[in-house]
Amino acid sequence: TNTNTNTSANTNVNTNINTNTNTINVNTSSTTNVTSFRQHFVNLSLNFFVMGITSSAHYGLLHSFLGLTDMSLLIASFGASCGIICNAPASPFAQPKSVIGGHVVSAIVGVTVQMFVGANFGEPLAVPISAALAVVAMEMTNTFHPPAAATAIITVIGGQFIHQMGYSFVFFPALTGSCLLVASGYIAHNIISKKVYPKNWF
């Protein structure tokens, strides 16, 4: 009789433990889903804010207000930079030295390669050379920023308009645009995510 009583008690304890464990798992899963949704919403807001400021400065200020339609603050590689700044602000690749320095270094490399290789031997050879040299140049200057390799390629495949810009492309949009991205990221993180950005300026 005692054996049966003990067995029954143990069964009840095990049942209670399993029930409590399942309840904890359900609650944890629900909390995780809510946290994940909130984080996605924050990331969405950050990316929209940063690219929104850059886009407004490009189309509203530069083109519409100042009438400087031959200048740009936007290039495709800035989209990837925005993603890193907003979603991984603690990453070394998101710090101002890497973002600004990477785009500037890559723009210098890309323009130079286009002038000497692209103009004489064509884009098929200039594209891989510009990308490879840009990566090495960023490594050597400690400004490695993966999206910036695309900036070097843009200077080669961007067409006659960008080719005619020459080294002015380094200032508009590479330098000015990347500075705007960093400044927007700083404002966005302080207002929206409350995260520290940047971890270091230089």
Side-chain angles (χ1 to χ4, degrees):
T1 303
N2 290 335
T3 302
N4 291 335
T5 301
N6 291 336
T7 302
S8 177
N10 290 335
T11 301
N12 290 334
V13 170
N14 290 334
T15 301
N16 289 335
I17 290 173
N18 290 333
T19 302
N20 291 335
T21 301
N22 290 334
T23 301
I24 291 171
N25 288 337
V26 170
N27 291 336
T28 303
S29 177
S30 299
T31 303
T32 301
N33 289 336
V34 172
T35 302
S36 178
F37 175 79
R38 287 175 179 171
Q39 189 57 52
H40 289 321
F41 182 76
V42 168
N43 289 340
L44 172 67
S45 302
L46 287 169
N47 282 274
F48 181 83
F49 184 91
V50 172
M51 285 311 300
I53 289 180
T54 307
S55 179
S56 296
H58 173 81
Y59 291 106
L61 177 62
L62 201 64
H63 285 192
S64 298
F65 184 73
L66 298 178
L68 301 175
T69 55
D70 58 338
M71 302 181 74
S72 175
L73 288 173
L74 280 176
I75 45 177
S77 53
F78 284 172
S81 296
C82 176
I84 293 178
I85 291 172
C86 296
N87 295 51
S91 168
F93 304 143
Q95 305 314 305
K97 180 180 178 181
S98 295
V99 176
I100 299 171
H103 281 293
V104 169
V105 168
S106 295
I108 293 172
V109 170
V111 171
T112 304
V113 171
Q114 168 56 29
M115 286 181 173
F116 291 96
V117 180
N120 296 307
F121 303 100
E123 293 179 3
L125 181 61
V127 167
I129 291 177
S130 64
L133 288 180
V135 169
V136 173
M138 285 189 286
E139 289 177 338
M140 293 176 65
T141 56
N142 196 28
T143 59
F144 189 64
H145 180 65
T151 298
I153 296 177
I154 289 171
T155 62
V156 175
I157 67 173
Q160 193 64 30
F161 176 74
I162 290 181
H163 296 167
Q164 290 176 347
M165 290 179 68
Y167 287 106
S168 64
F169 181 90
V170 175
F171 299 97
F172 278 93
L175 174 61
T176 310
S178 58
C179 285
L180 187 57
L181 279 178
V182 169
S184 302
Y186 173 78
I187 297 171
H189 279 295
N190 276 275
I191 294 177
I192 300 173
S193 73
K194 304 301 182 183
K195 291 182 179 179
V196 176
Y197 177 80
K199 289 183 65 178
N200 46 73
W201 286 97
F202 302 101

